[in-house]
Amino acid sequence: MFKDITLGQYYPTGSVIHRLDPRTKINFTFAYIILLFVVNNPVGYLIAIGILALVIALSKIPFVYVARGLKPLIFIVVLTFVLNMFMTPGQVLWQWKFLHISRQGLKLSIFMSLRLVLLVTGTSIMTLATSPMDLTDGMEADMSVIPGIKRFAHDLAMMMSIALRFIPTLMEETDKIIKAQKARGADFETGNLIERAKALIPILVPLFVSAFRRADELATAMEARCYRGGAGRTRMYVLSYQKADTIAYVVLAATAAAMILSRFISYPWPFPFN
Amino acid sequence: MSLKIEHLDHIYAAGSPFEFQALKDINVELEDGCFIALIGHTGSGKSTLIQHLNGLIEPTSGTVYLDGQDIFDQSKEDLIKTRFSVGLVFQYPEHQLFEETVAKDVAYGPKNLKLPEDEIHERVKWAIEMVGLDYGKIKDVSPFELSGGQMRRVAIAGVLAMRPKVLILDEPTAGLDPHGRDMILGQIQKLHKAAHNTVILVSHSMEDVGRYADRILVMYHGKAVYYDTPTQVFRHVDELEKMGLAVPQVKYLMRALKKQYPEINDDLFTVEDARDEIERVLGREHHV
């Protein structure tokens, strides 16, 4: 039941994208997210789609696999689309009884749902192409240059890496508990809402118990190996930028410039929506 | 109840880089009323196989028949009924306990069966006693306050209370002390002898397998390699060792003795049988 969730999953192919420095990938993704909110025109979106397509192609991760991560989002995307389309006031293009589509609505609905899709795809391609270890290393490195957060960079990164590490474990555990209760005749699919919620108790109680047990065991294991936080800790693999990273930053700068400039182009009909 | 496994294949995460074929064309007919041991090294597909037997996971191809009924070709209600007929005790079953009291937890299965209140009560009492616990003392205790071995037994009782005709246990003795192990296996055998139910025991202990099983199913890399009596299966000493398995220690001893005393019977797996046989052959020689 959890097989469809691709966000936070690693898909190793050993491609150029996979071999990039994690800092590059995190910064790129972060900048990409911001740029998606800067863009307000078709050319900008085309650039955003293009750069994402390029990254997906370079990563050698099958497109279907990336797209699968969007599955749980279909409902939200459709809802965004429909709400924006019918609820935005403006120059009416089409009307039937109380329903109307305005020019502005059409634009907003397309752009908003596109933005959502790109946001999720963009972030999931980063997690698909970066191992959880690399990801937290990159975050730690990124955070330790920000004044204020600097002091907690290691602890935050450690918490994050533990959390990431336990996602698959707890999912497996959940799956096992569900199966064990199903083997005792549990039925999660029929009955009304209250009955179904009640049916979850035999899953949630053992899951919490096991999560606490695991946390306790992990804490003991860390203490047994003299873990005492980040002070004075050295790394086995020190992050260093390569040529590919320089290229990635150049591409990012060019993309950012193009996306920002696309705001100032004057567009022919039907584009100047507002 | 007979279980017939036909051309069973199972592929995990098909279409991803983690794709893994756990079962390859399994064809076995598990006889009614047998005590069957399922052996194989870690990752040989044992756990995947047993989860197919009560319909918890669906095969990629092939199927399982329970008394002639294809268990993957029936309504959801009937599939749930199948799960009451084929009771599955997972590894570390104590991790699935959730109720406030032992009695309530054991009653979870019978309650899902929608049995009348008095029969639930009777079954809970029977099941708790069946695993060697004192019903009166333990019924109102929280399962989380018990020792590891007791929790394990309560969890097994939770499956026994459904009175399954086929009882499957996935390494029920993992992590228990020798006393706890003998206790649990002894109770399972007692139940098997009294109720003539089919028992499928996944185990890594060749000693236990040799002691309790009527049949052994050997899995290797997702394939069913042997399905025969312990005598026959344990004759393949070298093949089993190549699969990362072994035979009971006693079998090694008897095999070594056979080189010296060709008349000795080396198809023995328990210390008691070996003692009698050695006395029979060597004792006689001693007197001559």
Side-chain angles (χ1 to χ4, degrees):
Chain A
M1 77 187 291
F2 299 109
K3 278 170 203 138
D4 293 334
I5 300 172
T6 50
L7 194 76
Q9 245 178 45
Y10 180 47
Y11 190 107
T13 65
S15 73
V16 204
I17 303 291
H18 287 71
R19 289 196 310 270
L20 281 177
D21 189 288
R23 286 172 292 177
T24 313
K25 286 186 269 192
I26 293 168
N27 297 344
F28 203 113
T29 312
F30 197 62
Y32 186 75
I33 292 170
I34 294 170
L35 284 170
L36 278 179
F37 287 94
V38 170
V39 157
N40 66 347
N41 57 76
V43 171
Y45 274 105
L46 276 179
I47 298 169
I49 295 169
I51 195 77
L52 191 63
L54 179 74
V55 171
I56 294 175
L58 283 175
S59 73
K60 291 184 187 152
I61 297 168
F63 179 71
V64 242
Y65 202 84
V66 182
R68 221 186 280 170
L70 286 171
K71 239 195 201 165
L73 239 92
I74 290 175
F75 176 72
I76 297 173
V77 172
V78 170
L79 190 75
T80 312
F81 189 85
V82 171
L83 284 183
N84 278 305
M85 186 145 85
F86 292 114
M87 308 302 253
T88 315
Q91 184 192 343
V92 174
L93 291 177
W94 174 90
Q95 193 159 20
W96 179 77
K97 295 201 177 151
F98 63 92
L99 287 175
H100 64 88
I101 300 175
S102 68
R103 244 184 187 202
Q104 287 78 358
L106 196 63
K107 176 199 140 179
L108 255 184
S109 59
I110 293 173
F111 282 5
M112 285 300 247
S113 35
L114 199 58
R115 186 177 284 166
L116 264 179
V117 169
L118 291 175
L119 264 177
V120 174
T121 318
T123 37
S124 59
I125 195 80
M126 176 185 74
T127 51
L128 284 168
T130 317
S131 74
M133 283 294 278
D134 278 355
L135 204 61
T136 45
D137 278 356
M139 285 193 178
E140 187 176 346
D142 265 353
M143 282 188 292
S144 45
V145 294
I146 305 171
I149 306 180
K150 211 171 165 176
R151 277 191 300 150
F152 317 108
H154 173 80
D155 304 294
L156 286 173
M158 182 55 94
M159 278 194 268
M160 213 145 24
S161 70
I162 290 172
L164 281 174
R165 160 70 188 73
F166 275 90
I167 289 172
T169 312
L170 287 177
M171 276 190 183
E172 223 169 78
E173 190 91 14
T174 314
D175 198 44
K176 228 183 98 181
I177 294 167
I178 289 176
K179 279 181 180 164
Q181 307 300 22
K182 270 190 178 170
R184 295 210 275 165
D187 182 2
F188 307 113
E189 279 131 27
T190 54
N192 59 37
L193 202 64
I194 296 170
E195 279 168 3
R196 281 196 209 191
K198 267 191 176 165
L200 289 179
I201 296 172
I203 299 169
L204 292 178
V205 173
L207 189 65
F208 272 100
V209 171
S210 101
F212 282 120
R213 192 187 54 241
R214 277 180 197 285
D216 199 40
E217 280 168 5
L218 181 69
T220 312
M222 284 168 82
E223 269 201 71
R225 281 184 270 172
C226 304
Y227 179 77
R228 54 191 168 80
R233 216 170 144 84
T234 55
R235 337 195 113 260
M236 185 162 170
Y237 300 105
V238 180
L239 294 176
S240 68
Y241 281 125
Q242 306 296 322
K243 209 171 137 194
D245 296 298
T246 319
I247 298 172
Y249 279 114
V250 172
V251 172
L252 176 61
T255 314
M259 279 164 95
I260 293 166
L261 285 175
S262 73
R263 286 175 67 103
F264 303 107
I265 308 174
S266 64
Y267 293 93
W269 194 89
F271 290 116
F273 284 115
N274 317 311
Chain B
M1 286 212 158
S2 78
L3 274 167
K4 194 171 168 211
I5 305 164
E6 248 183 38
H7 299 295
L8 196 67
D9 281 296
H10 191 87
I11 302 170
Y12 281 113
S16 84
F18 308 104
E19 181 174 303
F20 175 69
Q21 183 159 10
L23 296 179
K24 290 170 197 159
D25 195 28
I26 309 268
N27 288 286
V28 179
E29 191 166 352
L30 305 170
E31 293 97 331
D32 196 12
C34 263
F35 196 121
I36 300 155
L38 178 53
I39 62 173
H41 71 90
T42 315
S44 60
K46 303 180 300 277
S47 296
T48 308
L49 177 64
I50 58 172
Q51 288 178 44
H52 281 88
L53 301 183
N54 70 348
L56 277 178
I57 48 182
E58 287 199 11
T60 308
S61 65
T63 192
V64 177
Y65 295 97
L66 178 68
D67 277 345
Q69 168 67 47
D70 183 340
I71 66 169
F72 297 104
D73 183 24
Q74 57 184 355
S75 68
K76 232 174 214 165
E77 291 76 36
D78 288 339
L79 181 64
I80 289 178
K81 276 184 200 141
T82 300
R83 293 193 185 132
F84 292 120
S85 307
V86 184
L88 174 56
V89 179
F90 275 89
Q91 257 173 18
Y92 299 102
E94 59 272 28
H95 293 176
Q96 76 205 30
L97 299 172
F98 69 96
E99 271 288 8
E100 294 155 48
T101 70
V102 167
K104 274 191 189 170
D105 203 283
V106 175
Y108 181 66
K111 261 195 189 142
N112 286 330
L113 261 170
K114 305 205 167 55
L115 293 170
E117 203 58 44
D118 50 337
E119 190 174 352
I120 293 179
H121 179 82
E122 185 260 320
R123 281 191 181 203
V124 168
K125 187 166 184 288
W126 170 81
I128 290 177
E129 280 166 1
M130 200 65 226
V131 294
L133 294 170
D134 185 337
Y135 176 74
K137 264 190 199 162
I138 213 166
K139 67 176 167 63
D140 294 323
V141 177
S142 159
F144 298 104
E145 286 169 13
L146 302 174
S147 74
Q150 284 175 321
M151 281 167 96
R152 179 81 53 92
R153 281 189 262 166
V154 168
I156 293 174
V159 173
L160 288 184
M162 304 190 305
R163 301 238 168 99
K165 293 176 189 86
V166 179
L167 177 64
I168 308 173
L169 301 118
D170 193 352
E171 290 186 55
T173 57
L176 291 189
D177 57 31
H179 174 71
R181 191 191 65 203
D182 292 346
M183 171 95 220
I184 283 180
L185 291 177
Q187 297 290 347
I188 289 163
Q189 194 191 29
K190 210 173 102 189
L191 176 71
H192 169 68
K193 288 215 166 124
H196 299 290
N197 59 346
T198 309
V199 175
I200 301 172
L201 174 77
V202 178
S203 179
H204 283 302
S205 161
M206 297 305 136
E207 268 63 35
D208 292 345
V209 168
R211 181 180 295 269
Y212 297 106
D214 310 317
R215 291 277 187 285
I216 300 180
L217 174 60
V218 183
M219 301 269 304
Y220 183 61
H221 285 332
K223 286 189 186 133
V225 190
Y226 301 117
Y227 179 60
D228 216 323
T229 58
T231 308
Q232 291 296 329
V233 170
F234 285 145
R235 278 182 188 162
H236 303 277
V237 180
D238 299 329
E239 290 89 340
L240 287 173
E241 283 183 349
K242 259 180 225 147
M243 294 175 203
L245 296 168
V247 298
Q249 296 291 325
V250 170
K251 172 81 188 180
Y252 287 112
L253 171 71
M254 299 311 279
R255 206 165 65 129
L257 281 173
K258 198 175 174 79
K259 284 187 187 136
Q260 286 255 286
Y261 305 96
E263 72 270 34
I264 213 165
N265 174 16
D266 70 347
D267 290 324
L268 300 172
F269 321 114
T270 64
V271 176
E272 294 81 17
D273 289 348
R275 180 195 59 205
D276 294 347
E277 180 68 7
I278 291 169
E279 259 175 15
R280 188 180 71 80
V281 177
L282 297 187
R284 189 190 57 208
E285 197 178 71
H286 200 72
H287 289 295
V288 172

